[in-house]
Amino acid sequence: MKKYKNIVILTGAGISAESGLATFRASNGLWNNHKVDDVATIEGFARNPKYVHDFYNELKVELKKAKPNAAHLAITKLQNEYPAEINIITQNVDTLHEKAKNKNVYHIHGQINQAVCLNCGHVVETFGNVGVHTICPKCNEIGRMKPNIVFFGENLLCMDKVEYLLRKCDLFLSIGTSGVVFPAASFVQTAKYYGADTYEFNLENTSNNFFFDKHIVGPAGTTLPAFVSEMLKD
Ligand code: BV8
């Protein structure tokens, strides 16, 4: 295999599937049995903040218990043993990359264990409940805290860093994402435009098919460890 210097790994819900977490689209547009419009849009939050807080407070309990799987651990091995800069751009709000001791993780859709104050922008790290009466520890406003989750219709986080990484990378791995949510679904095009080799790891070919040089089909918990062994062999 070629030697790479700057690797970008984009992950989606599929990398967490073998940790027992539901993927986003497998369940006909529902997100953990709730309508996407109600719990993953900025309009839904404005309409009924308590309902959205309850949803994410419940999801926190499930995500807090989840354990990283072989795919996350393969990334740790690659970061520890392969001589390159390796950055992870994740669409996932779970903390499985961190639990697997992955480094350089950028949560572009936010994180389940964070809340952000809509008054002053302060971000609180908490797996505890957040609600319409939560006080911001920085500006003391009551009821202005929102789950630090990027809803549909909201801009992504860490995009300056993401743009820089996509232009610089010479290998782009997409793992467990259906490639239907933008702008994350367009990252492979940017990477390809700037000359990266592009691999897709998924159970099936996705709508982004055309932009990938290689498709490695199968569960990431199996395909990624095998791929990492190949990369470390030379
Ligand atoms: C934005 C937070 C600028 C919640 C998420 C009209 C109006 C407004 C916006 C738009 C519009 N039209 C398009 C847009 C843009 C919109 C968008 O893309 N909509 C789509 C639905 C068409 N995007 C946005 O709004 C983004 N912001 O564009 O800002 C802007 C601002 C204002 C107005 C216009 C533009 C914000 C996007 C972020 C939304 N928040 N999540 C939460 O996570 O709880 S998105 C949600 O989808 C999750 O974050 C999830 O991670 C993400 C992507 O899904 P996937 O990770 O790919 O998961 P999925 O289930 O789809 O696929 C899993 C894959 O894994 C499958 O392919 C499966 O085969 C595979 N798999 C399963 N098991 C395994 C596996 N693979 C390997 N191994 C396995 N074992």
Side-chain angles (χ1 to χ4, degrees), residues 15-162:
I15 198 171
S16 302
E18 291 163 80
S19 295
L21 300 185
T23 61
F24 206 70
R25 266 158 213 86
S27 42
N28 52 33
L30 286 184
W31 187 223
N32 277 32
N33 301 321
H34 290 66
K35 282 190 12 231
V36 172
D37 266 1
D38 291 342
V39 296
T41 64
I42 194 68
E43 298 80 8
F45 182 67
R47 199 168 45 238
N48 190 340
K50 180 182 178 323
Y51 183 77
V52 176
H53 277 303
D54 290 350
F55 173 75
Y56 284 101
N57 288 335
E58 245 174 77
L59 190 60
K60 267 181 203 182
V61 175
E62 188 192 347
L63 298 191
K64 190 171 180 207
K65 283 185 293 205
K67 300 242 180 309
N69 63 62
H72 299 101
L73 298 174
I75 294 175
T76 309
K77 186 172 174 65
L78 191 68
Q79 285 187 315
N80 290 343
E81 297 177 27
Y82 190 84
E85 196 192 314
I86 303 172
N87 288 281
I88 300 160
I89 300 170
T90 187
Q91 300 171 89
N92 300 337
V93 297
D94 64 51
T95 54
L96 291 176
H97 285 298
E98 288 80 2
K99 286 180 181 173
K101 305 242 182 304
N102 293 173
K103 297 185 285 284
N104 313 331
V105 181
Y106 298 94
H107 285 265
I108 52 171
H109 290 170
Q111 271 176 254
I112 192 70
N113 59 322
Q114 289 182 346
V116 61
C117 175
L118 296 175
N119 182 52
C120 71
H122 180 63
V123 174
V124 177
E125 297 272 339
T126 173
F127 265 106
N129 283 351
V130 174
V132 293
H133 302 297
T134 304
I135 298 173
C136 170
K138 186 146 182 266
C139 69
N140 296 316
E141 278 281 303
I142 302 177
R144 300 284 287 144
M145 298 307 282
K146 163 185 165 300
N148 195 23
I149 301 277
V150 176
F151 295 136
F152 287 103
E154 283 195 296
N155 287 312
L156 272 58
L157 305 177
C158 321
M159 279 309 281
D160 292 346
K161 182 73 177 176
V162 166

Side-chain angles (χ1 to χ4, degrees), residues 177-199:
T177 179
S178 58
V180 298
V181 174
F182 288 84
S186 63
F187 292 173
V188 59
Q189 297 169 51
T190 308
K192 187 133 201 71
Y193 178 79
Y194 284 97
D197 291 341
T198 54
Y199 286 56

